[in-house]
Amino acid sequence: LEKNAKQIELINFQRKRLESKQITEEEYKKEVGKIKSDVNALMVLIKSDDKAKFKNLIDILDEMQICNVGKYAIVDIAPAEKELIASLETGMQGGAQ
């Protein structure tokens, strides 16, 4: 939310304009679309491993809506990232013993 504060502020402004009937629903959607697709808007990369559950992906997509993130991509996790996760998990298991 902190990284997307500017877009949230702009969207809230447009929402207030809609609620006070200054703009139509169609105009509101158009303005929100512009705000979310702005070149400076937050971009989120969503990556998961083979152990991820479908429900987790749905929850993440819900969060993108809640946080007004308009630019996100679901991408494959890189082999190096898988190795990093595995080494972190191994380190945590070793430290717990």
Side-chain angles (χ1 to χ4, degrees), residues 41-94:
L42 180 67
M43 171 67 180
V44 175
L45 298 178
I46 301 168
K47 300 180 181 191
S48 66
D49 66 9
D50 299 336
K51 300 174 192 172
K53 296 183 173 136
F54 185 70
K55 180 190 180 315
N56 296 127
L57 178 60
I58 298 301
D59 290 344
I60 290 169
L61 294 176
D62 285 343
E63 286 298 318
M64 296 297 101
Q65 277 297 102
I66 291 166
C67 296
N68 289 304
V69 175
K71 297 190 305 185
Y72 56 87
I74 302 169
V75 297
D76 291 332
I77 190 167
E81 292 167 326
K82 284 184 180 183
E83 290 175 21
L84 178 61
I85 292 169
S87 69
L88 289 171
E89 287 174 345
T90 302
M92 283 187 234
Q93 290 171 357

